[in-house]
Amino acid sequence: MAKITFIEHSGERLVVNIPVGWTVMQGAVQNGVEGIEAECGGSCACATCHCYVDEAFLDALPPPSETEEAMLDCTAAERLPNSRLSCQLKVTEEFDGLVLRLPEVQS
């Protein structure tokens, strides 16, 4: 399990435990995190699970694939250097303590 903190656009924080092997998006959906719509169900086809990774954790994550990079160009909210799609972040033990900020809109 990894303890991951989601910070909604309003500033509200939600800390959830997500099993290793799940994606961050799966954990968010299963725990009712507001702001992760996940319309495509995790197939990297909609960009509605866009999040901003706390910069302290960027080096711990694998780089985005070409497909994720392309989808990040389609986000409803501004793409920033720390933008990622939570469906493409497969939880490992190193994710424990990860902090993600959610954009104001997803679609």
Side-chain angles (χ1 to χ4, degrees), residues 3-72:
K3 187 176 288 189
I4 297 177
T5 300
F6 294 88
I7 303 174
E8 296 175 3
H9 186 72
S10 67
E12 187 172 336
R13 300 170 79 90
L14 180 61
V15 180
V16 299
N17 291 310
I18 302 176
V20 169
W22 284 27
T23 65
V24 171
M25 181 220 69
Q26 287 173 303
V29 169
Q30 288 295 315
N31 286 281
V33 174
E34 296 281 331
I36 297 288
E37 293 180 17
E39 289 178 3
C40 73
S43 61
C44 197
C46 72
T48 61
C49 65
H50 179 212
C51 60
Y52 302 113
V53 176
D54 186 283
E55 293 185 9
F57 292 91
L58 282 175
D59 291 338
L61 302 178
S65 67
E66 286 183 30
T67 303
E68 182 180 358
E69 286 283 358
M71 289 309 305
L72 285 167

Side-chain angles (χ1 to χ4, degrees), residues 80-92:
L80 300 175
N82 60 335
S83 288
R84 293 298 300 265
L85 298 181
S86 61
C87 70
Q88 298 303 294
L89 300 175
K90 193 167 195 172
V91 176
T92 67

